[in-house]
Amino acid sequence: MLNFYREIYTARAENKKLLAILIDPDKFEETRTESYLKSIPESTSHIFVGGSTVENNKTAQTVKAIKTETNLPVFLFPGDHNQISEDADVILFLSLISGRNPEYLIGQQVKSVSKLKNTSLEIIPTGYILIDGGNISAVQRVSNTEPIPQFEIDTIVDTALAGQYSGQKLIYLEAGSGAKLPVSEEIITAVKKAIDIPLIVGGGIRSIQQQKKAYDAGADMLVMGTHFEE
Ligand code: 1GP
């Protein structure tokens, strides 16, 4: 099993909760890397880097700056195939399985192969499920796909399981960056019960109480971004 994946898988087995802080390169000033890293929680286990629309090279510059200031593992969470940097540790190889746009199911993935063929990045296949967070998310806009409504719990569970059966190693339930409503506890619990792979949840989580609810519902890893940009 791959190293960084094994760590997440083991944490899940041991019920050790993980916290990823998401950095959007478009909103990040490299000169402030040190103070930014001091401002994030001590419990942070991972740094994610990515965004829906990022200028060329900005991801690589951001990853480099972060890598010089921390030993935390840096995961690429790319919105498109241009956001690949060899300085990171891992790439979440995302398929937007809630959507029906072939470009985000396989198109971007094929376009990334020339960069990934000889990569030293660990590649983790990740089933990415967009759920309605009460506002129009950047993922929805850019991917031109519909989120799954929060009340369609069976569809969400079936989508997660279809992801697992297709060989995804992680399932990521995403309400969208800046979501008004995070993914509900009911959804998290239902998906957690159904799948045998680690579960990531993100979008609209701002407080310790929301974090605790999502962990207690069954999330193995939470992703928080906007809260630490503010
Ligand atoms: C977005 O899930 C992440 O992709 C984080 O969302 O910015 O709302 O914390 P927030």
Side-chain angles (χ1 to χ4, degrees):
M1 214 188 271
L2 303 161
N3 285 339
F4 289 97
Y5 181 67
R6 188 189 295 125
E7 274 175 21
I8 298 173
Y9 197 86
T10 307
R12 171 185 174 274
E14 293 171 353
N15 202 28
K16 185 175 159 243
K17 301 298 184 182
L18 303 172
L19 176 65
I21 300 300
L22 172 65
I23 295 178
D24 183 341
D26 265 347
K27 298 178 186 153
F28 191 72
E29 280 175 44
E30 285 94 63
T31 50
R32 299 190 50 215
T33 307
E34 197 185 343
S35 62
Y36 178 86
L37 289 170
K38 277 190 186 137
S39 75
I40 63 176
E42 251 177 60
S43 56
T44 304
S45 56
H46 297 76
I47 302 286
F48 282 10
V49 178
S52 295
T53 51
V54 178
E55 271 175 51
N56 275 354
N57 291 327
K58 187 70 174 96
T59 302
Q61 289 163 14
T62 303
V63 170
K64 261 203 179 97
I66 295 163
K67 270 295 189 189
T68 54
E69 297 289 346
T70 180
N71 291 323
L72 289 171
V74 175
F75 281 34
L76 299 173
F77 173 57
D80 64 56
H81 71 282
N82 289 313
Q83 296 175 39
I84 296 176
S85 155
E86 278 297 317
D87 290 313
D89 300 297
V90 167
I91 178 168
L92 294 179
F93 201 67
L94 303 167
S95 288
L96 182 55
I97 57 176
S98 53
R100 297 295 178 267
N101 182 350
E103 183 62 17
Y104 292 91
L105 284 164
I106 188 64
Q108 287 289 323
Q109 291 78 352
V110 172
K111 286 174 189 161
S112 70
V113 168
S114 60
K115 286 194 187 119
L116 293 177
K117 258 182 202 161
N118 300 311
T119 190
S120 55
L121 293 166
E122 183 175 314
I123 301 173
I124 306 183
T126 303
Y128 189 52
I129 301 178
L130 183 62
I131 292 168
D132 187 5
N135 46 9
I136 294 179
S137 64
V139 179
Q140 177 176 358
R141 220 177 35 243
V142 172
S143 69
N144 201 16
T145 66
E146 291 299 317
I148 307 179
Q150 297 232 7
F151 62 83
E152 288 190 17
I153 297 183
D154 289 347
T155 308
I156 296 168
V157 169
D158 288 357
T159 305
L161 272 178
Q164 178 179 312
Y165 298 159
S166 312
Q168 307 291 352
K169 296 280 186 256
L170 298 170
I171 293 294
Y172 189 140
L173 299 177
E174 169 72 275
S177 188
K180 277 195 203 152
L181 303 169
V183 178
S184 75
E185 293 156 78
E186 213 182 337
I187 295 171
I188 298 171
T189 301
V191 172
K192 169 73 169 189
K193 230 166 117 184
I195 63 174
D196 307 313
I197 52 179
L199 177 61
I200 304 178
V201 178
I205 300 169
R206 293 178 181 85
S207 66
I208 301 276
Q209 290 91 318
Q210 284 174 322
Q211 262 189 43
K212 189 174 171 344
K213 279 184 183 171
Y215 282 137
D216 289 349
D220 299 304
M221 177 189 276
L222 296 182
V223 184
M224 292 174 75
T226 307
H227 180 72
F228 297 101
E229 286 164 9
E230 286 161 358

